[in-house]
Amino acid sequence: MEIITYQEKYKQQIIDLILHIQNDEAKINLSLEEQPDLLDIPNCYEKDGGEFWLAVEDDTVIGTLALMNKGNGNAVLKKGFVRADYRKQGILGKLYATLQEFAKEHDLTTFVFDTPSVATNCHNFFEKRGYRRITKDELPFRYEYPDRNSYLYMM
């Protein structure tokens, strides 16, 4: 398994993985149209100084994690997903460690993560790393997201 930055050749695998986890596993019913960032990852993440990482094994995407740079040291963590048969193997932890390294290099200090209310494993992952749940009113910067009973976490 290796962690790499976004490559266009993996676009459909990324979309398929994320939609499967969101809709088939978590039953959120979030459409691709409600997530236009997945259709233009370079413009939505990389253009403003963020990044989109992939965990890849045998040329197959098994995990994702992305960072949107919102300026002034602020960032949004998004798209933290790991394929079911790879969970509990530290994949999200490796993606997150890569993100942290990137954040240090780019002077990013405030992080917000939005996650569905049903994603309890994800909540636990971020809480163990010092994130605390906040309300939308506590957001320190402007951030729009498709609210489907989402929780916001901040560090």
Side-chain angles (χ1 to χ4, degrees), residues 2 11 23 26 38 42-43 64 79 86 96 102-103 106 111 115 123 125 132 135 138 143:
E2 65 177 325
K11 181 178 182 175
N23 300 322
L38 290 176
N43 191 48
T64 63
K79 308 301 180 194
Y86 283 89
Y96 184 69
F102 178 90
H106 294 85
F111 304 95
T115 180
H123 305 164
F125 178 88
R132 67 177 178 85
T135 66
E138 293 175 274
Y143 171 52

Side-chain angles (χ1 to χ4, degrees), residues 22-38:
Q22 288 173 330
N23 300 322
D24 298 332
E25 292 181 23
K27 308 290 186 217
I28 298 168
N29 298 320
L30 196 58
S31 71
L32 181 58
E33 292 73 31
E34 293 174 279
Q35 305 174 81
D37 56 316
L38 290 176

Side-chain angles (χ1 to χ4, degrees), residues 25 27 53 72 101 127 142:
E25 292 181 23
K27 308 290 186 217
W53 293 276
N72 298 317
E101 196 69 30
E127 287 169 359
R142 185 184 158 125

